[in-house]
Amino acid sequence: MRRCPFRSEDDKQKGRQKVLGLASELKAGHAKTSEEEVLRMLSHVHDDDVASIIRNDSCLLRFAESLYNKHGHDPSKHEYIRQKIRELGRLLQTLRKRSPDMTIEDALRPKNFLSLIKAVKETAGFDKKKNDYKTPSIALKLGHSLVKVNDIITCHALIAEDEDGIKSSKAFMKLYRAKWSEYVSHSALSTIADKKYNKTMKLPLTEDVTKLHSHLDKRTELASEALKNETTAHSYSSLAKATLTKIVIFNRRRVGEVSKIKLKNFLERDQSNTHEKRGLSDYEQKLCTYFERVELKGKRGRKVAVLLTPNMTKALNLLVEKREERGVPVENEYLFAIPNCLTYYRGHECLRKFADECGAQEPEYLRSTRLRKEMATTSQILNLKNNELDQLADFMGHDLAVHRQFYRLSEPTIQSAKISKILLALEKGMLHEVRGKSLEEIGDNTDDEEDTSEEEDAISDGDTPRVNSSQEVLDSDKNTSAPMGPSRNPKKRLAEHNGMV
């Protein structure tokens, strides 16, 4: 390893396993046709039988190149690419139990379609008696990957003008569209849906969120003072982790989005404070000058933003100031960079760590997804207007339909608290009394209705209720949802009651 003439400067920091992985790639039969960057990425794959299968299958290497061309510029996506390749490698390993010389390209021939179905089911752990999968997501992912591999085969056949290859790939797609749902995806989707029955989604407690905010404020303050006095590795990492977690909690952002904020996004943020403030209240205008806004890339390439308080901005400026002193490489483009590395601090690890430290009653609920659901649930309770709901969904970085279907208050809560009001009214035959009311208004004056019904029973039995004053009669009329006598007019009702007394 020390004397290898082909060792690059980047390989000096790598270990023995890295060198052996590169050597395995170079020994593979199809390695010469692949790009060096792809081979280096695949050298991190766990060196086992599946890795050997991947290195020696031309279609899998082409698929890896295709994914690398799309996502390879982002190092954080390399693990995703390796995972997708290993899934197909496991499928090919299952296929070779029956046909030792099988390749992915052979598996996608129409004559091997049924064998491919059996291999996918076996890889995903299909139980024929129960008609469900142990890991249904694997079956669905393999279907999507096989379609992409077939597209790659089709493109190469078109370039080579291979008529037989073109016909074969088109025939496979015809079989896939006609039979894949019947044999694989329908059962997989049913298994996923069945696992969601009676599965509750608990939201974090308000007290726990408050404790976490207080704990993060203290940690940020202590770490900032320590970093100003002496630039140590511990103080730098403590401030970076606390600030990262604080931004995630405050903005209810996905941890991956905040973790991968680029340094240039923070430095190029708009600090002019020249917002268009016409139509805003005084309080809203003050908020515009209080917060700073940083735009970043969210899920599916959407542009999302985070709002920074003055304390967050001070902490981030201190981190940027101490980057070079703490040994953060110039090539590291992330704001929350790890010293002497090209990677960043992981938001989910930081959030889990601080949730356990803050003394929360239910620390396992303090996760970014649950906090985002809490925010969406609050928006439902506030009964926001459509345009306000659009703004909230856009800030959270997802479509309004996704916001309503997956992030709002869970169906069990809605059915138990809201829809049950209608069912009770139908059961008691009181539907006419709630006519024209919203779900929020139904049941708000239940006690008044019960008192009114007792008064009606007393009148019908000849036991006249005591009326102290005309104001009590008017008040009782206002609180009664159904008329007590022949007339709905309050003044006539007053005269009738006085006549009875």
Side-chain angles (χ1 to χ4, degrees):
M1 288 170 58
R2 297 193 201 94
R3 296 176 299 183
C4 178
F6 300 101
R7 184 182 65 170
S8 64
E9 291 295 324
D10 295 336
D11 294 330
K12 291 182 179 180
Q13 303 296 331
K14 308 299 180 182
R16 177 181 177 85
Q17 193 66 30
K18 168 73 175 179
V19 177
L20 292 177
L22 288 171
S24 301
E25 296 288 351
L26 294 173
K27 286 194 302 180
H30 299 281
K32 295 180 180 179
T33 62
S34 300
E35 298 180 2
E36 183 180 356
E37 293 82 1
V38 178
L39 297 179
R40 286 183 176 275
M41 178 194 66
L42 293 178
S43 66
H44 291 277
V45 175
H46 181 63
D47 194 12
D48 55 4
D49 293 339
V50 176
S52 178
I53 290 172
I54 293 171
R55 297 185 190 113
N56 291 280
D57 190 272
S58 60
C59 267
L60 292 181
L61 292 177
R62 288 177 187 172
F63 184 46
E65 286 182 9
S66 176
L67 293 175
Y68 188 85
N69 291 335
K70 291 177 65 176
H71 309 291
H73 64 281
D74 187 357
S76 64
K77 298 289 181 68
H78 288 183
E79 184 60 36
Y80 162 78
I81 298 174
R82 289 190 286 265
Q83 180 184 358
K84 301 300 289 185
I85 301 300
R86 278 193 67 90
E87 289 170 1
L88 287 176
R90 289 168 53 195
L91 174 64
L92 188 54
Q93 185 182 38
T94 305
L95 283 165
R96 287 184 177 177
K97 292 179 182 179
R98 301 181 181 86
S99 302
D101 298 329
M102 180 75 73
T103 64
I104 285 293
E105 188 170 2
D106 294 334
L108 295 180
R109 298 187 185 278
K111 64 179 181 180
N112 296 323
F113 185 75
L114 294 179
S115 299
L116 179 64
I117 294 292
K118 292 179 181 178
V120 169
K121 288 185 173 181
E122 183 177 344
T123 305
F126 181 72
D127 189 339
K128 191 173 182 179
K129 294 181 180 179
K130 298 180 180 179
N131 194 39
D132 61 4
Y133 289 88
K134 183 179 180 180
T135 52
S137 59
I138 291 294
L140 298 175
K141 292 177 182 178
L142 286 174
H144 299 317
S145 297
L146 289 172
V147 170
K148 294 178 181 178
V149 172
N150 187 70
D151 290 340
I152 295 172
I153 294 173
T154 304
C155 292
H156 281 269
L158 288 170
I159 293 172
E161 297 182 352
D162 182 5
E163 295 295 332
D164 293 336
I166 296 171
K167 290 180 181 179
S168 176
S169 58
K170 288 183 177 179
F172 173 81
M173 281 307 303
K174 192 173 182 179
L175 284 171
Y176 181 90
R177 294 191 189 100
K179 291 294 183 180
W180 190 264
S181 175
E182 175 186 340
Y183 285 120
V184 179
S185 60
H186 179 75
S187 299
L189 292 171
S190 298
T191 303
I192 293 174
D194 292 344
K195 289 182 178 181
K196 292 182 180 179
Y197 293 157
N198 296 321
K199 187 177 181 180
T200 58
M201 182 68 178
K202 294 185 178 180
L203 299 179
L205 301 176
T206 305
E207 298 82 1
D208 291 348
V209 177
T210 304
K211 288 181 181 178
L212 181 57
H213 275 294
S214 301
H215 180 68
L216 289 172
D217 290 337
K218 293 178 182 177
R219 290 295 299 268
T220 303
E221 185 178 355
L222 293 174
S224 297
E225 292 298 326
L227 189 59
K228 289 177 183 178
N229 296 331
E230 184 180 2
T231 308
T232 62
H234 180 265
S235 60
Y236 180 88
S237 63
S238 297
L239 181 59
K241 292 177 181 179
T243 308
L244 168 60
T245 309
K246 182 69 176 179
I247 295 174
V248 170
I249 297 297
F250 180 77
N251 289 272
R252 300 303 197 264
R253 288 251 72 87
R254 298 182 180 94
V255 287
E257 295 172 351
V258 180
S259 301
K260 291 188 285 188
I261 292 180
K262 301 292 182 65
L263 176 62
K264 67 175 184 179
N265 295 136
F266 176 70
L267 297 178
E268 296 174 0
R269 69 190 186 280
D270 184 12
Q271 305 180 56
S272 60
N273 288 330
T274 57
H275 304 286
E276 179 61 43
K277 300 177 181 178
R278 287 182 298 179
L280 299 179
S281 64
D282 294 339
Y283 178 66
E284 291 170 341
Q285 292 180 17
K286 291 179 181 178
L287 290 178
C288 288
T289 58
Y290 181 77
F291 289 103
E292 291 192 13
R293 186 172 177 271
V294 177
E295 294 180 346
L296 58 142
K297 182 184 290 187
K299 195 173 182 180
R300 295 191 176 183
R302 294 190 183 100
K303 183 181 72 172
V304 296
V306 292
L307 300 179
L308 304 177
T309 63
N311 289 333
M312 295 178 190
T313 306
K314 288 180 183 178
L316 292 175
N317 285 327
L318 183 59
L319 288 173
V320 174
E321 181 184 340
K322 300 292 184 179
R323 280 172 69 94
E324 185 177 355
E325 190 175 347
R326 270 312 311 150
V328 177
V330 180
E331 297 81 9
N332 193 323
E333 58 183 358
Y334 298 106
L335 178 60
F336 297 101
I338 300 178
N340 304 316
C341 294
L342 297 178
T343 54
Y344 49 85
Y345 290 105
R346 304 280 179 175
H348 67 278
E349 295 177 355
C350 301
L351 180 56
R352 190 184 301 270
K353 172 178 176 291
F354 289 118
D356 293 336
E357 290 178 358
C358 69
Q361 184 177 349
E362 301 287 350
E364 64 275 10
Y365 297 157
L366 293 173
R367 303 292 182 264
S368 64
T369 302
R370 294 177 186 263
L371 289 166
R372 287 166 63 80
K373 284 182 177 290
E374 181 197 29
M375 184 175 182
T377 299
T378 304
S379 70
Q380 188 179 16
I381 295 173
L382 293 175
N383 195 21
L384 301 178
K385 299 177 183 178
N386 287 336
N387 63 322
E388 296 171 335
L389 198 58
D390 288 337
Q391 294 171 9
L392 177 62
D394 183 64
F395 177 79
M396 297 184 71
H398 51 236
D399 186 73
L400 186 58
V402 175
H403 175 85
R404 285 173 170 165
Q405 184 175 359
F406 294 103
Y407 280 89
R408 297 180 78 171
L409 200 63
S410 57
E411 286 185 5
T413 306
I414 292 293
Q415 292 175 356
S416 298
K418 305 287 188 181
I419 307 302
S420 59
K421 295 180 180 180
I422 301 176
L423 299 178
L424 288 173
L426 289 171
E427 181 186 26
K428 297 179 180 179
M430 298 168 58
L431 191 61
H432 64 283
E433 298 183 3
V434 298
R435 186 189 310 162
K437 293 186 177 182
S438 66
L439 288 177
E440 295 291 340
E441 295 171 343
I442 298 176
D444 289 342
N445 55 350
T446 306
D447 296 336
D448 295 336
E449 291 178 356
E450 290 178 355
D451 295 340
T452 303
S453 61
E454 292 177 0
E455 185 177 348
E456 289 177 346
D457 293 340
I459 293 174
S460 61
D461 294 339
D463 185 9
T464 306
R466 181 178 59 87
V467 179
N468 292 330
S469 66
S470 60
Q471 185 61 39
E472 285 187 354
V473 178
L474 292 174
D475 293 339
S476 66
D477 183 75
K478 291 178 182 179
N479 295 330
T480 306
S481 58
M484 286 173 30
S487 174
R488 293 177 178 266
N489 191 308
K491 293 183 179 180
K492 292 183 179 180
R493 287 281 309 280
L494 175 61
E496 291 171 3
H497 278 281
N498 289 335
M500 292 179 186
V501 177

